[in-house]
Amino acid sequence: MSQPDPRPHIVILGGGFGGMAAAHRLDDASLRVTLVDRRNHHLFQPLLYQVATAGLSAPSIAAPLRQILRKQQNVTVLLDEAQGIDLAHKRVLLAQGPLDYDYLIVATGATHAYFGHDDWARHAPGLKTLDDAFAIRRRVLLAFEHAEREDEPARRQAWLNFVVVGGGATGVELAGTLAEIARHTLPREFRRSDPRQANILLVEAGPRVLPAFAPELSAKARKQLEKLGVQVRTDTAVTAIGSDSVQLGNETLASRTVLWAAGVAASPLGQQLGVPLDRAGRVLVTPELAVPGHPEVFVVGDLASVTQADGKPVPGIAPAAKQMGRYVADAILARLGGRAAPAPFRYRDDGTLATIGRLSAVAQFGRVKLSGVLAWWVWLVAHVYFLIGFRNRLVVLLDWAWSYWTYQRHARIVTGSDTRRSGGTDES
């Protein structure tokens, strides 16, 4: 019978940016670290829209957790799902059994938010995982296939009306890329329908797209989108979504393809902690990113509600999650080493980027604001640099170079079934 491991046990829930940053920082043989995730891979979410729009294949932006952590001998990876947390007994309740901890880092991220209309999810998929990306890619590509088979103009146009709900970075990136696909990638490949007749509509309930950026950059982003052929509607709320239409206020638009990029909700695991949450379901952590009353439990990433010194919340983006992950790892190491705890967490804003289309982007670094070609190059270098693994960087560079010069998208393989017409299909 094996002896119990006497080393302090640190459990990390979630293999996203925050969880992986913490795991890497805890590379210490005197510690025992267990990373739990329900998926076996780490995903570079900022480029997920490229998979959804057939620009990149999944392995270009994802890597197995075990491969990434293979050299870190003190880390064990478990493919499992956390279903509850017992704070009193320092135990995580996994689908396949309990797991005790000395320190716990909860980094389970966020999911889609439909603002009380969860029934819209079946008609308007969001984009958070590779499964989501595959589903969206299937919907988009098969919409053009269905349009090719329609003889009646109104039914054909319904397949060619694409509605993207939400004017944040994901919505802007999806809309701009869809316009490029319709205008440049597909036109020579269809005979009975014209993909250039596709109507790409970006809908935002607020007064401007990319609200996280300065107003002047939002205005430039809108102009760049419209130059690509995207119709942008701000101050417009979606009031209903069905299988063949979307309602914008009192207007009904026939559309068979609606994509959701309007909001996120914190992981439901936060509710298991039994502590105060904000309106989005995020945990109101202490300035040290700990759960109130439980200094051994930390929450990082999209699940943590953290307010900066200026009163603004820390944004739910990858750099913030990575900074949080490293911070809590350092706090644990300091505590175990008998050193003074680090100062309260302070987010360092390294800038905000969003791409719109071919050679079009916006970037903001404090008072420095860029748009157009220069911003696109900054965006490209930053995203390729942060990809995990040299192979992934090389693959992405080659794929993008090919797409740039040819407008072709190599990952246009459709798998799975599509049931958006009577009787459904079985395309694989």
Side-chain angles (χ1 to χ4, degrees), residues 238-420:
V238 173
T239 53
I241 301 176
S243 61
D244 56 4
S245 66
V246 57
Q247 190 167 335
L248 311 174
N250 295 323
E251 175 190 359
T252 299
L253 174 69
S255 174
R256 304 300 297 266
T257 307
V258 181
L259 307 180
W260 187 263
V264 296
S267 164
L269 195 62
Q271 301 174 11
Q272 298 285 333
L273 295 171
V275 297
L277 309 175
D278 69 6
R279 294 176 58 184
R282 294 172 299 189
V283 179
L284 295 167
V285 295
T286 69
E288 294 75 28
L289 305 183
V291 171
H294 292 274
E296 77 284 356
V297 179
F298 300 89
V299 181
V300 304
D302 291 340
L303 186 55
S305 179
V306 187
T307 303
Q308 303 178 69
D310 59 5
K312 296 180 180 179
V314 174
I317 57 178
K322 293 169 74 172
Q323 290 179 35
M324 291 182 192
R326 289 191 289 264
Y327 173 87
V328 299
D330 287 342
I332 293 171
L333 290 171
R335 195 177 303 176
L336 291 173
R339 301 187 301 273
F345 174 76
R346 183 176 180 181
Y347 170 61
R348 184 184 68 255
D349 188 355
D350 294 327
T352 309
L353 302 160
T355 182
I356 297 161
R358 188 174 186 256
L359 296 181
S360 298
V362 291
Q364 181 172 318
F365 304 94
R367 296 182 180 181
V368 178
K369 302 175 180 66
L370 305 173
S371 64
V373 176
L374 180 58
W376 186 85
W377 278 109
V378 173
W379 176 90
L380 175 65
V381 171
H383 282 69
V384 171
Y385 175 79
F386 285 112
L387 276 174
I388 290 180
F390 172 78
R391 177 184 175 276
N392 286 23
R393 296 187 185 115
L394 180 61
V395 168
V396 171
L397 277 175
L398 292 175
D399 285 346
W400 266 337
W402 175 258
S403 297
Y404 173 77
W405 291 112
T406 68
Y407 279 111
Q408 296 302 307
R409 293 182 165 264
H410 76 282
R412 286 162 45 201
I413 305 301
V414 178
T415 60
S417 61
D418 182 61
T419 58
R420 289 179 294 164

Side-chain angles (χ1 to χ4, degrees), residues 66-148:
R66 296 183 186 280
Q67 177 187 355
I68 298 170
L69 296 168
R70 66 188 183 281
K71 295 181 180 179
Q72 201 165 329
Q73 296 296 317
N74 70 321
V75 176
T76 298
V77 176
L78 293 182
L79 189 64
D80 209 334
E81 183 174 3
Q83 299 181 334
I85 299 173
D86 184 349
L87 294 176
H89 296 91
K90 295 186 177 182
R91 182 172 298 158
V92 177
L93 307 177
L94 303 177
Q96 300 186 47
L99 182 66
D100 294 333
Y101 63 83
D102 295 302
Y103 292 92
L104 176 65
I105 301 173
V106 185
T108 48
T111 185
H112 314 297
Y114 289 88
F115 309 116
H117 298 279
D118 291 345
D119 55 305
W120 293 356
R122 60 181 297 205
H123 305 304
L127 185 59
K128 284 292 181 185
T129 68
L130 281 177
D131 288 339
D132 296 336
F134 296 149
I136 288 176
R137 185 177 68 187
R138 180 167 57 246
R139 279 176 173 255
V140 168
L141 295 179
L142 288 182
F144 290 101
E145 297 293 341
H146 291 319
E148 178 80 347

